[in-house]
């Protein structure tokens, strides 16, 4: 049985990756931050019977900014594979919290790479490492489509911090002969996507509007274009990278981009609604510097990893819209029964 160690296990990708690794027979260890409310909702369906003697999913309190804790965990767990998915991953928020973002995304990566280097020495075995890099590193794109060789031009504190993590991972590969891979993943979404990212914000709002729970949807730049894929497909690419003979960098994308405006149309058309009647522009959602378009070329991932995206953006929009219509129906039932659901009216960035 192989053992995996995941930071960011409570996030969208962490939950899909955990699901897939458990199905492959892995023992999975995840780092969870202490929070004042439950933050393990996305893992709920993976919890095992607490009376089982050795459950394959184990959660540990920790934080990417706490290097000594990470080193202690890696030393004691001695994983075969480490997936660094933890991040302050919201681009807009990174403008408000540049230092926090850099501490988690850039220095957090440094903490974890050191912990893995130390863990390899003490365990006397190779630990394979996956770094969650991002298409945000391309920012103001220098060529279209973007490949593993396209120069970076990040346009946010988040993008800058990811560039640091990317190059540090390559540096550890070259300096210490570590098996360390960089996955340059383009936007990937799902019904588990955080509700402040634009696709999920749209599908949540459209479901609520359809059932009379919300009147308007306030958005920022509708002209930005993204290459959107399904998160379940993308975590499979992460795993495939760590099963190769040699470590490398890979772009993971669908090779098709559409504007935010078109994603809105896909979702509102699913509900039989006209988006123009419900969407309003709120400049609070504009970013100081925007990434206008991202389009990935996944040729290398297809050729070397045998990876293929299984879901088109049109299918993704319907998958998310259907899921969020069900959530809206549950909310409608509560409202009709006289329950106060004001806590479900969330604020976003
Ligand atoms: P996500 O849903 O925002 O999840 C982020 C995870 O990081 C959560 O588990 C979060 O924990 C954890 N985290 C935050 N701060 C931390 C800290 N200080 N120490 C340890 N863990 C911390 O992100 P995602 O969409 O799954 O993305 C996974 C990774 O891929 C991230 O590194 C992201 O930057 C990168 N990425 C994402 C995309 C995309 O389109 N989704 C594309 C390219 C790259 P809490 O639950 O406690 O907040
Ligand atoms: O924005 C525009 C916004 O926040 C997409 C992260 O996972 O992918 C993600 O970063 C676009 C941008 O994702 C709203 O201006 C319009 O152009 O969903 P997003 P992102 O910034 O592309 C990359 C690859 C990552 O690595 C990140 O971790 O949509 N937009 N109106 C809006 N965006 C938001 N959030 N909210 C709006 O109201």
């Amino acid at each position: 049985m192989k053992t995996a160690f995941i930071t960011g296990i409570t996030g969208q990708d962490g939950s899909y990756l955990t699901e897939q690794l458990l199905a492959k027979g892995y023992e999975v260890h995840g780092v969870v931050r202490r929070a004042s409310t439950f933050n393990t909702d996305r893992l709920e369906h993976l919890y095992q019977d607490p009376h089982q003697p050795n459950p394959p999913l184990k959660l540990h309190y920790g934080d990417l900014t706490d290097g000594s804790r990470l080193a202690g965990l890696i030393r004691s767990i001695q994983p075969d594979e480490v997936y660094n998915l933890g991040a302050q991953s919201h681009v807009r928020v990174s403008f408000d919290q540049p230092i926090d973002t850099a501490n988690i995304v850039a220095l957090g990566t440094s903490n974890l790479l050191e912990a893995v280097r130390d863990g390899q020495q003490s365990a006397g075995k190779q630990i394979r490492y996956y770094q969650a890099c991002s298409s945000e590193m391309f920012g103001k794109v220098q060529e279209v489509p973007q490949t593993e060789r396209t120069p970076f031009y990040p346009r946010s504190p988040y993008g800058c911090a990811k560039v640091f993590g990317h190059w540090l991972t390559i540096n550890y590969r070259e300096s210490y002969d570590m098996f360390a891979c960089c996955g340059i993943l383009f936007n990937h979404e799902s019904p588990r996507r955080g509700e402040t990212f634009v696709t999920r914000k749209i599908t949540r709002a459209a479901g609520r509007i359809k059932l009379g729970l919300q009147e308007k949807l306030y958005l920022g730049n509708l002209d930005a274009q993204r290459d959107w894929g399904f998160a379940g497909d993308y975590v499979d690419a992460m795993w495939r990278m760590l099963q190769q003979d040699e470590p490398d960098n890979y772009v993971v994308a669908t090779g098709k981009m559409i504007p935010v405006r078109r994603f809105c149309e896909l979702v509102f058309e699913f509900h039989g609604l006209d988006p123009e009647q419900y969407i309003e522009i709120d400049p609070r959602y504009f970013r100081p510097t925007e990434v206008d378009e991202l389009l990935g070329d996944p040729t290398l991932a297809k050729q070397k990893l045998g990876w293929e995206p299984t879901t088109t953006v049109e299918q993704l929009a319907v998958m998310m819209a259907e899921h969020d219509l069900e959530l809206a129906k549950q909310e409608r039932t509560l409202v009709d029964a006289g329950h106060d659901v004001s806590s479900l009216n969330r604020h976003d960035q």
Side-chain angles (χ1 to χ4, degrees):
M1 183 197 276
K2 276 193 188 173
T3 303
F5 179 88
I6 304 176
T7 69
I9 194 167
T10 57
Q12 169 188 252
D13 291 7
S15 71
Y16 281 108
L17 181 64
T18 301
E19 216 167 79
Q20 293 187 15
L21 293 179
L22 289 174
K24 291 181 200 298
Y26 278 61
E27 179 173 291
V28 177
H29 293 255
V31 174
V32 181
R33 295 193 294 170
R34 192 269 156 183
S36 64
T37 54
F38 287 108
N39 60 359
T40 49
D41 287 4
R42 293 184 177 107
L43 299 172
E44 209 104 298
H45 64 296
L46 300 172
Y47 283 152
Q48 296 85 21
D49 176 356
H51 303 298
Q52 198 180 321
N54 188 22
L57 172 59
K58 300 172 201 297
L59 301 180
H60 310 267
Y61 284 112
D63 197 295
L64 277 164
T65 58
D66 183 349
S68 62
R69 173 66 173 154
L70 295 175
L73 286 171
I74 297 285
R75 224 176 289 138
S76 64
I77 295 165
Q78 299 190 4
D80 301 292
E81 296 171 7
V82 168
Y83 296 86
N84 184 23
L85 310 184
Q88 188 302 92
S89 71
H90 202 285
V91 173
R92 173 68 192 81
V93 174
S94 78
F95 287 97
D96 297 334
Q97 292 193 268
I99 295 167
D100 184 49
T101 302
N103 274 335
I104 299 168
V105 176
L107 297 184
T109 299
S110 187
N111 283 332
L112 188 57
L113 281 166
E114 271 300 282
V116 170
R117 185 163 79 96
D118 168 78
Q120 284 199 149
Q121 277 170 355
S122 60
K125 71 171 196 182
Q126 187 188 59
I127 300 176
R128 297 187 168 212
Y129 178 89
Y130 173 83
Q131 174 64 16
C133 304
S134 167
S135 52
E136 278 294 302
M137 301 189 305
F138 297 122
K140 190 170 175 180
V141 297
Q142 301 297 294
E143 64 177 343
V144 181
Q146 294 86 54
T147 72
E148 293 77 11
R149 291 167 305 286
T150 302
F152 300 138
Y153 193 141
R155 293 269 279 174
S156 65
Y158 169 82
C160 294
K162 282 288 181 189
V163 171
F164 177 92
H166 177 83
W167 280 111
L168 197 71
T169 303
I170 293 170
N171 184 250
Y172 271 59
R173 182 198 298 162
E174 294 174 355
S175 304
Y176 308 119
D177 201 21
M178 271 173 57
F179 192 105
C181 292
C182 293
I184 308 174
L185 271 53
F186 282 60
N187 297 54
H188 46 281
E189 322 291 310
S190 73
R192 297 184 207 164
R193 183 58 145 153
E195 293 188 21
T196 63
F197 297 97
V198 78
T199 54
R200 189 78 200 288
K201 183 173 168 182
I202 294 164
T203 57
R204 276 297 267 146
R208 295 182 93 239
I209 288 170
K210 176 75 180 173
L211 296 192
L213 294 159
Q214 183 172 331
E215 287 178 3
K216 293 282 178 193
L217 167 59
Y218 294 94
L219 292 173
N221 179 10
L222 302 185
D223 296 321
Q225 303 201 66
R226 291 291 184 274
D227 177 333
W228 277 295
F230 172 51
D233 291 344
Y234 286 39
V235 300
D236 171 50
M238 297 174 187
W239 176 79
R240 286 172 186 255
M241 287 176 213
L242 297 200
Q243 313 314 310
Q244 301 305 303
D245 291 337
E246 298 296 331
D248 209 340
N249 311 324
Y250 297 91
V251 160
V252 179
T254 68
K256 176 181 172 182
M257 72 178 171
I258 61 166
V260 173
R261 188 186 307 282
R262 178 66 191 138
F263 193 89
C264 293
E265 287 166 4
L266 291 170
V267 173
F268 279 77
E269 279 165 13
F270 166 85
H271 289 296
L273 299 173
D274 172 8
E276 299 219 344
Q277 282 185 26
Y278 303 98
I279 294 176
E280 291 198 4
I281 302 303
D282 184 337
R284 277 185 307 158
Y285 298 115
F286 293 151
R287 296 162 183 196
T289 41
E290 176 63 285
V291 172
D292 296 321
E293 56 169 75
L294 290 172
L295 178 66
D297 175 356
T299 303
L300 185 68
K302 287 185 177 184
Q303 285 176 351
K304 274 183 71 181
L305 305 178
W307 177 84
E308 283 287 341
T310 65
T311 312
T312 65
V313 68
E314 290 80 9
Q315 291 166 332
L316 182 64
V318 170
M319 179 203 299
M320 294 173 69
E322 277 175 342
H323 176 273
D324 286 343
L325 182 60
E326 286 309 308
L327 284 188
K329 282 181 186 166
Q330 291 166 20
E331 202 182 328
R332 183 76 252 174
T333 306
L334 289 173
V335 170
D336 292 344
H339 291 279
D340 176 11
V341 294
S342 53
S343 64
L344 295 173
N345 290 320
R346 298 185 165 103
H347 301 282
D348 75 288
Q349 286 81 26

